[in-house]
């Protein structure tokens, strides 16, 4: 899997490209997905396809095996999402949450 490299992006200012769906949510006609460390500048890592008629979600799927991970890097910092074998501590937390 290719890693995102340290890259500086210039983000454009928001414009009228939003559509109000209800009072709680604003769906973006053209969306970009970002990651951000602390209050650093957000880094774009994905965007919606051109000429779409409805908002579409970003779906990230990782399989539960040792070869899967996603790594985001910015300014020497690294954020990694990965699966691992469940620890006994987590199994206990799951049991408590499930009420078993």
């Amino acid at each position: 899997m290719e890693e995102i490299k340290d890259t500086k992006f210039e983000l454009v200012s928001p414009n009228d490209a939003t559509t109000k769906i209800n009072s709680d949510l604003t769906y973006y006609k053209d969306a970009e997905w970002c990651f951000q460390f602390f209050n650093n500048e957000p880094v774009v890592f994905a965007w919606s396809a051109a000429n779409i008629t409805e908002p579409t979600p970003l779906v990230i799927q990782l399989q539960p095996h040792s070869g899967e991970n996603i790594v985001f890097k910015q300014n020497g910092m690294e954020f990694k999402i990965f699966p691992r074998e469940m620890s006994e501590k987590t199994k206990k937390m799951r049991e408590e949450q499930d009420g078993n």
Side-chain angles (χ1 to χ4, degrees):
M1 178 174 289
E2 184 175 321
E3 293 182 0
I4 303 292
K5 305 275 191 247
D6 287 344
T7 306
K8 183 175 181 176
F9 290 90
E10 183 177 326
L11 302 179
V12 296
S13 299
N15 56 28
D16 294 330
T18 61
T19 304
K20 278 287 194 190
I21 302 298
N22 62 40
S23 61
D24 298 324
L25 301 174
T26 299
Y27 283 81
Y28 301 104
K29 188 172 163 184
D30 287 316
E32 61 186 24
W33 286 265
C34 307
F35 70 88
Q36 182 178 29
F37 290 99
F38 308 106
N39 288 325
N40 293 349
E41 186 72 17
V43 176
V44 176
F45 71 93
W47 49 84
S48 56
N51 303 317
I52 58 171
T53 57
E54 293 184 22
T56 55
L58 169 69
V59 177
I60 297 175
Q61 180 176 325
L62 294 174
Q63 296 298 322
H65 62 72
S66 61
E68 292 283 291
N69 66 67
I70 296 174
V71 179
F72 298 100
K73 293 183 177 184
Q74 183 185 36
N75 300 327
M77 293 178 287
E78 183 174 296
F79 175 72
K80 185 175 183 179
I81 301 173
F82 60 95
R84 66 181 186 185
E85 187 71 32
M86 189 180 296
S87 69
E88 292 302 317
K89 181 179 178 180
T90 302
K91 287 178 185 178
K92 185 176 180 178
M93 289 171 40
R94 180 177 63 181
E95 288 174 10
E96 290 171 1
Q97 182 178 354
D98 291 344
N100 295 332

